[in-house]
Amino acid sequence: IILNKPSGIPTQGGSKVQQSVVDLLPGLQFDKYEPPRLTHRLDRDASGILILGRTRATTSELMRHFSDNAHKKSAARLHKPNKVYWAVVGGSP
């Protein structure tokens, strides 16, 4: 499952967090035994794509790709996702 997370919503809960993406995942459970799981996180102020796994096995496999060691695992030759960050700024230097 791919989600387009808007800025201002935290991916996971914490102190002073009323609602996060994780709190909304049961709404995406559909006919599965468990709700989908996060494979990576985005900061609260960042907007962007979140990739969720529908099963534990799929989530584990996707998380391996986001791992800092993904490019070092020669047996699997995992593709590490290319993360691109864009910023919108105002004013002048």
Side-chain angles (χ1 to χ4, degrees), residues 37-78:
R37 299 167 182 269
L38 294 172
T39 61
H40 64 102
R41 296 181 301 274
L42 291 174
D43 291 341
R44 175 196 301 246
D45 294 332
S47 63
I49 300 300
L50 280 175
I51 301 173
L52 309 176
R54 293 285 282 149
T55 65
R56 286 179 192 248
T58 301
T59 302
S60 294
E61 182 64 23
L62 289 167
M63 288 175 76
R64 288 179 51 214
H65 290 270
F66 283 96
S67 163
D68 288 335
N69 296 321
H71 64 284
K72 297 177 185 175
K73 297 181 180 178
S74 59
R77 287 290 183 209
L78 298 175

Side-chain angles (χ1 to χ4, degrees), residues 1 22 25-30 32 34-38 52-55 59:
I1 296 175
V22 169
L25 295 181
L28 297 173
Q29 186 169 337
F30 305 114
K32 296 290 183 183
E34 297 177 324
R37 299 167 182 269
L38 294 172
L52 309 176
R54 293 285 282 149
T55 65
T59 302

